[in-house]
Amino acid sequence: MAKKKEEKELVIPRHVAIILDGNGRWAKKRFLPRTAGHAVGAKNLEKICRIAYEVGIQYLTVYAFSTENWNRSKEEVDTIMKLLDDYLNTCIQTANENKMCCQVIGDITRLRPDMQKRIAALEEATKDNPGLHFNIAINYGGRDELVRAAKRMTADARDGRLDPEKLDQEVFNSYLDTKDSPDPDLLIRTSGEERLSNFLLWQLAYTEFYFTDVLWPDFDKAELMRAIEKYNTRDRRYGGVKQ
Ligand code: IPE
Ligand code: IPE
Ligand code: MG
């Protein structure tokens, strides 16, 4: 049997995207309200950000709240928003300690005005940080992102800022929320679900997928390394032929 690669021998994916799922089931297993699962999940996100950077990941994009998650009860939505708001608040302090550059992706115009202000402050305060580039998706949907991008493109074409003849994949990409990040190399989804749930539909075209049954609040460094080990066994051909 092939020897397991040591951590230092592993190729570390430059950009990891995570669909952090399973907070509700984690709580249910413990006879706790779903909101308790979200609280532990938010704490885990802070931990995984630190670990991701220590391991050598340069970009981390996490799906925290989808355009479809508004369909949940008001109590649950309010709790998640409060946790995310608190998270953004602490990020302003911690991001500068660990040199993290934070961006929020998604349509933030539907969020409370004070939260929108906090997001703008966080992005501004951390924009030149050279450490982990952290994207957090809040009120994000891949289809919504594509439609918003298309609207801006048509407005720019109408107003003479964009020549429709020059529209290519690179220009299209520059209209997306993720324009400052390369495409993800590895997508992880926790909790056993094997679907995208409207995440990064354009950006995941050639990403490697890794699904685990582990619930997000239990996802730790060992699990992350397992995903990276699996990534190291993949042969990325991009439509070509292996030499
Ligand atoms: C993921 O956990 C967090 C969000 C989608 C906001 P869930 O809340 O979806 O947990 P499950 O899937 O119900 O267990
Ligand atoms: C996807 O998880 C969205 C986030 C993780 C933010 P969901 O739990 O909402 O997805 P579905 O409903 O199982 O597809
Ligand atoms: Mg879920």
Side-chain angles (χ1 to χ4, degrees):
M1 206 173 84
K3 189 172 160 272
K4 204 170 142 192
K5 279 190 179 175
E6 295 301 325
E7 201 175 302
K8 58 182 179 310
E9 293 174 44
L10 290 169
V11 173
I12 302 298
R14 182 153 75 125
H15 184 173
V16 175
I18 307 181
I19 301 176
L20 38 92
D21 200 8
N23 290 348
R25 278 164 281 171
W26 183 93
K28 195 171 174 210
K29 265 173 50 182
R30 288 162 180 78
F31 305 101
L32 294 168
R34 293 178 57 82
T35 47
H38 294 310
V40 181
K43 273 267 153 271
N44 199 37
L45 185 53
E46 282 176 35
K47 202 174 90 189
I48 294 298
C49 273
R50 260 197 320 276
I51 291 169
Y53 191 56
E54 280 163 21
V55 161
I57 292 166
Q58 295 172 43
Y59 295 82
L60 180 69
T61 301
V62 302
Y63 204 8
F65 191 89
S66 75
T67 45
E68 288 71 33
N69 287 147
W70 298 104
N71 294 328
R72 299 186 180 195
S73 72
K74 182 174 182 318
E75 189 209 353
E76 182 166 348
V77 168
D78 287 351
T79 303
I80 295 173
M81 283 301 159
K82 170 89 178 64
L83 285 165
L84 288 173
D85 203 23
D86 290 348
Y87 180 76
L88 295 172
N89 226 348
T90 46
C91 255
I92 297 188
Q93 282 118 46
T94 53
N96 281 325
E97 283 158 28
N98 61 23
K99 305 272 180 287
M100 187 160 86
C101 161
C102 300
Q103 282 190 338
V104 174
I105 61 168
D107 180 5
I108 62 164
T109 62
R110 199 172 159 189
L111 307 180
R112 277 177 36 183
D114 56 334
M115 195 166 168
Q116 292 183 42
K117 273 200 199 127
R118 217 178 317 285
I119 289 169
L122 173 67
E123 291 185 336
E124 179 58 28
T126 64
K127 71 178 190 314
D128 296 323
N129 284 350
L132 180 74
H133 187 114
F134 177 58
N135 297 314
I136 178 162
I138 305 179
N139 190 28
Y140 176 89
R143 289 183 173 179
D144 179 67
E145 178 189 38
L146 292 168
V147 170
R148 282 186 289 108
K151 277 189 177 157
R152 283 203 307 280
M153 275 181 262
T154 45
D156 281 357
R158 184 192 59 214
D159 299 341
R161 287 187 297 268
L162 171 69
D163 176 357
E165 288 303 316
K166 297 228 168 79
L167 182 59
D168 58 12
Q169 293 189 20
E170 200 181 321
V171 173
F172 194 100
N173 197 57
S174 73
Y175 279 84
L176 298 178
D177 298 348
T178 51
K179 61 182 182 310
D180 298 325
S181 304
D183 287 343
D185 300 293
L186 172 65
L187 170 81
I188 298 171
R189 182 166 186 156
T190 56
S191 88
E193 309 298 348
E194 301 190 356
R195 55 178 169 260
L196 292 182
S197 302
N198 204 7
F199 194 39
L200 303 176
L201 299 179
W202 164 279
Q203 298 86 342
L204 296 175
Y206 264 104
T207 302
E208 298 297 328
F209 289 4
Y210 177 84
F211 299 108
T212 170
D213 288 339
V214 171
L215 303 174
W216 173 252
D218 294 327
F219 188 86
D220 58 9
K221 182 172 179 185
E223 293 298 334
L224 178 66
M225 294 321 295
R226 224 168 297 197
I228 293 175
E229 273 166 28
K230 194 78 189 169
Y231 172 79
N232 274 253
T233 67
R234 303 280 173 85
D235 179 20
R236 303 185 77 187
R237 290 190 289 277
Y238 298 99
V241 175
K242 197 177 176 192
Q243 294 305 310

